[in-house]
Amino acid sequence: MKLEVLTKAENREVQKDIITKIRDLIAFKNLEPGDKLPSERMLAEKFGVSRSSLRETIQRLEFYGLLKSRPQSGTFIADIGPIAMKGMLKDILELETPDFKSLVETRILLELKTCRLAALRRTDEDLAQMKIALDAYAAKVENGEDAVQEDLLFHLSIAKASGNSTMNTFMLIITPEIITNFEKYHVCNVNRAALGIQEHNDIYEAIKKQDPKLAKEKMKVHFKMLYQYCYNIE
């Protein structure tokens, strides 16, 4: 399984500028739902940006449902009225970079749901991917190495096993920022990482048994330290 960064911190300001220009273009040209945008090459030249930055921004607006790309045809305005389009673009431009606690809180809420769904929907292939990530995490911890990425890859394998592509996408979006900040905020230590081996195994076994209630309980146990971090619970 591969970590995928959908939006990079260093591109946020460039993306905001491109989104603003796309918004102004839609307004100036009076583009309506179903209308086609100029080609990537033309837009990149018009906006004075690289095609890769433009493509990432278009993908971001596709994620929010504002644009639709069709192979061999181009990029089109989604079936959204002008008032809703204007409001959503305004909200996207005003989005702030989430702080670490917000990311962790979102992760907790997502994973308590994904682990239940994974227990209900997991396949043998899903279990095999979880076991690979679980074993990789254990090996790193037992060797005294940093295992933050292996830890989160295990959790991403659970999200994938949930069978809910939207939740899986949300996890992929927030995971890179969590990896970046785990060490910065000293959330995990060696003792905590060692305890995580057993907790991961408990979650894995609950999902393997297809017991959603137990899977959620074991995930809550695993998140005890994160709960304390987010909510100052002793």
Side-chain angles (χ1 to χ4, degrees), residues 90-167:
K90 180 176 181 292
D91 289 343
I92 291 169
L93 288 168
E94 291 177 354
L95 282 175
E96 296 179 2
T97 303
D99 61 83
F100 183 51
K101 285 188 178 181
S102 296
L103 287 168
V104 171
E105 184 175 41
T106 302
R107 179 190 169 192
I108 290 171
L109 293 171
L110 278 173
E111 292 209 60
L112 291 179
K113 189 66 174 179
T114 58
C115 70
R116 292 185 74 258
L117 292 176
L120 294 169
R121 300 172 178 174
R122 61 77 177 158
T123 64
D124 290 342
E125 183 179 348
D126 291 328
L127 284 176
Q129 289 300 314
M130 277 183 237
K131 191 67 166 63
I132 290 171
L134 191 159
D135 291 344
Y137 173 78
K140 280 275 189 86
V141 172
E142 288 166 359
N143 286 332
E145 300 175 53
D146 181 278
V148 170
Q149 293 199 37
E150 287 72 20
D151 177 16
L152 290 170
L153 282 171
F154 173 71
H155 289 273
L156 286 175
S157 70
I158 294 173
K160 187 172 184 298
S162 75
N164 186 305
S165 60
T166 302
M167 287 188 177

Side-chain angles (χ1 to χ4, degrees), residues 21-50:
K21 289 174 178 175
I22 289 175
R23 178 199 64 191
D24 293 345
L25 177 70
I26 291 172
F28 180 73
K29 296 283 189 179
N30 290 316
L31 297 178
E32 298 180 350
D35 285 347
K36 184 179 178 181
L37 290 179
S39 68
E40 282 188 6
R41 180 183 60 78
M42 291 179 65
L43 285 178
E45 290 177 0
K46 181 179 180 63
F47 296 163
V49 298
S50 69

Side-chain angles (χ1 to χ4, degrees), residues 5 32 45-46 87 108 121 189 200 208 216-217 220 226 228:
V5 181
E32 298 180 350
E45 290 177 0
K46 181 179 180 63
I108 290 171
R121 300 172 178 174
N189 55 41
H200 279 189
K208 184 178 180 180
K216 183 177 180 179
E217 289 175 359
K220 278 188 173 181
L226 287 180
Q228 291 173 338

Side-chain angles (χ1 to χ4, degrees), residues 75-93:
T75 303
F76 298 80
I77 307 297
D79 190 18
I80 297 174
I83 294 175
M85 173 70 75
K86 184 177 179 180
M88 292 178 71
L89 285 171
K90 180 176 181 292
D91 289 343
I92 291 169
L93 288 168

Side-chain angles (χ1 to χ4, degrees), residues 11 14-15 18 49-58:
N11 289 335
V14 173
Q15 288 190 12
I18 295 172
V49 298
S50 69
R51 290 184 68 174
S52 62
S53 293
L54 178 69
R55 191 173 298 115
E56 284 181 9
T57 307
I58 287 174

Side-chain angles (χ1 to χ4, degrees), residues 165-198:
S165 60
T166 302
M167 287 188 177
N168 189 34
T169 299
F170 284 153
M171 281 293 293
L172 286 167
I173 290 171
I174 67 175
T175 291
E177 290 288 345
I178 290 175
I179 288 177
T180 301
N181 286 287
F182 251 59
E183 190 170 309
K184 177 180 177 182
Y185 290 98
H186 307 290
V187 177
C188 291
N189 55 41
V190 175
N191 293 333
R192 177 67 232 174
L195 185 59
I197 296 175
Q198 182 58 52

